Amino acid sequence: TPDLARFYPTDDMETGYDILFFWVARMMMLGLHFMGEVPFRRVLLSGLVTDERGEKMSKVKGNVIDPLDVAGGATIEHLLETARKNGAKDSGLDYLRKTYPEGFAAYGADALRYTLLSYSPYTTKIALSIKRIEGYRNFANKLWNAARYALINLAGSPARAEQKRPEARAFANQWILSRLAVAIETTHTAIGEYRLDEASNALYHFVWHELCDWYLELAKPLLAANDAQQASETRAVLVHVLESALRLLHPMMPFITEEIWQRVPKHEGATRTIVLAPYPQAERDALRALPVEREMAIFQAVI
């Protein structure tokens, strides 16, 4: 059938190490037996998601964390009721009361997704920490606020995200385009090596520490100056770097990046959704400037 021709064989199988024999090996043997070829070429292993103590989640233990509760929020009463319905023992209910006395805030699906991506593939047990998820929720907030600041400064200007990087003469603009190049190259290398943790960490550092903490502050006087050409250049770089960062982050944080991307002014030939937009390439979207980076490193160290 057309579906069989399209989906068999496939390229990748993603699973946990604990069911390699129970499921993965049997899929391989059945595929060879019935189809005459393997069902997939690569098996990507992730760690086993456990509770915060490192214990395997079990309905009887009452330590099962529903991702929908983490994303949408849940009261402790809801958690206890769900655990009771699933047959949790009293010790499991006590664990929930002690560990999550107020339940969960609504952290969002993006924060949960990014948290899971941040763990090393060499980690056999992912002790899911709510504090860590909260940290990536804060990262999503940081991205949202940075975008809001950028859009306020772009209002009424002709600046829009183009298909290639803008020319930059100002020191701060050259620096952020250079750091964008590093972020793009690091992300491509990490993804190619199946190190999604390194890719997510590189983008976290770029967005929070370089784009937000440094560039947005350096851009403020450039945007407020009487030099119209410099202000115009800064707006062009600002919208370009923001839009490129959204495309870089999109596979890891699909919801907030789509929401912001729809609001960013773009060229007329842009795709209707970020899902279809090309993934950033360093040679097209950025430009490395090592002398500028060295000067900036001194500047940062002095401050």
Side-chain angles (χ1 to χ4, degrees):
T1 64
D3 279 350
L4 185 61
R6 180 181 180 186
F7 293 112
Y8 195 100
T10 187
D11 293 322
D12 298 326
M13 170 71 177
E14 192 280 334
T15 186
Y17 67 90
D18 55 322
I19 57 169
L20 266 176
F21 176 73
F22 298 110
W23 186 237
V24 181
R26 296 178 191 205
M27 291 173 72
M28 184 68 71
M29 289 184 280
L30 287 170
L32 287 168
H33 179 74
F34 288 111
M35 300 297 296
E37 58 182 324
V38 296
F40 38 77
R41 291 287 173 185
R42 290 172 296 207
V43 179
L44 311 178
L45 296 178
S46 64
L48 183 68
V49 180
T50 69
D51 68 14
E52 296 195 26
R53 302 168 297 183
E55 293 189 15
K56 190 171 182 178
M57 292 188 186
S58 162
K59 290 180 179 179
V60 174
K61 292 180 181 178
N63 62 346
V64 175
I65 302 302
D66 188 333
L68 292 178
D69 289 339
V70 177
T75 63
I76 182 60
E77 289 76 19
H78 170 78
L79 296 178
L80 291 172
E81 182 184 357
T82 303
R84 287 192 191 98
K85 287 181 180 178
N86 291 331
K89 295 181 178 179
D90 290 340
S91 58
L93 300 177
D94 290 338
Y95 167 77
L96 287 175
R97 292 190 191 95
K98 182 179 179 181
T99 311
Y100 313 112
E102 298 178 2
F104 302 140
Y107 296 114
D110 282 332
L112 176 58
R113 184 186 182 97
Y114 214 87
T115 301
L116 293 172
L117 287 170
S118 71
Y119 287 92
S120 167
Y122 298 112
T123 303
T124 56
K125 283 187 177 181
I126 297 174
L128 193 59
S129 167
I130 296 299
K131 279 293 182 184
R132 190 162 178 162
I133 298 172
E134 183 180 345
Y136 286 113
R137 190 270 312 270
N138 295 342
F139 174 61
N141 288 344
K142 189 81 170 179
L143 178 64
W144 182 271
N145 289 332
R148 186 171 59 176
Y149 169 80
L151 293 174
I152 289 171
N153 281 278
L154 293 169
S157 80
R160 59 184 59 207
E162 301 292 345
Q163 291 177 301
K164 60 179 181 178
R165 68 175 182 271
E167 294 298 322
R169 292 184 176 86
F171 176 82
N173 294 333
Q174 290 180 348
W175 175 75
I176 196 62
L177 286 174
S178 186
R179 297 310 300 166
L180 175 61
V182 174
I184 294 172
E185 290 169 356
T186 304
T187 302
H188 274 275
T189 300
I191 291 174
E193 296 174 352
Y194 304 101
R195 292 303 304 267
L196 301 183
D197 58 318
E198 292 182 357
S200 64
N201 288 335
L203 295 180
Y204 179 95
H205 173 70
F206 172 73
V207 170
W208 191 303
H209 301 298
E210 295 177 336
L211 175 59
C212 295
D213 285 356
W214 287 96
Y215 178 68
L216 292 185
E217 296 302 320
L218 294 172
K220 287 177 181 178
L222 299 180
L223 293 168
N226 293 325
D227 189 333
Q229 184 177 357
Q230 186 171 256
S232 176
E233 173 195 303
T234 303
R235 289 190 184 93
V237 172
L238 177 59
V239 69
H240 173 77
V241 172
L242 173 63
E243 193 268 345
S244 298
L246 292 172
R247 285 186 284 132
L248 281 170
L249 279 168
H250 178 66
M252 304 177 187
M253 302 188 95
F255 299 105
I256 192 173
T257 50
E258 178 75 71
E259 183 72 24
I260 297 172
W261 191 83
Q262 291 294 338
R263 301 162 189 243
V264 174
K266 297 173 285 295
H267 59 90
E268 292 182 359
T271 57
R272 62 183 176 83
T273 168
I274 194 174
V275 177
L276 302 175
Y279 204 64
Q281 302 289 332
E283 61 275 11
R284 180 189 64 209
D285 295 296
L287 182 64
R288 194 79 194 272
L290 289 173
V292 172
E293 288 192 34
R294 284 193 289 267
E295 278 192 64
M296 183 63 180
I298 296 171
F299 178 60
Q300 289 172 309
V302 169
I303 290 179

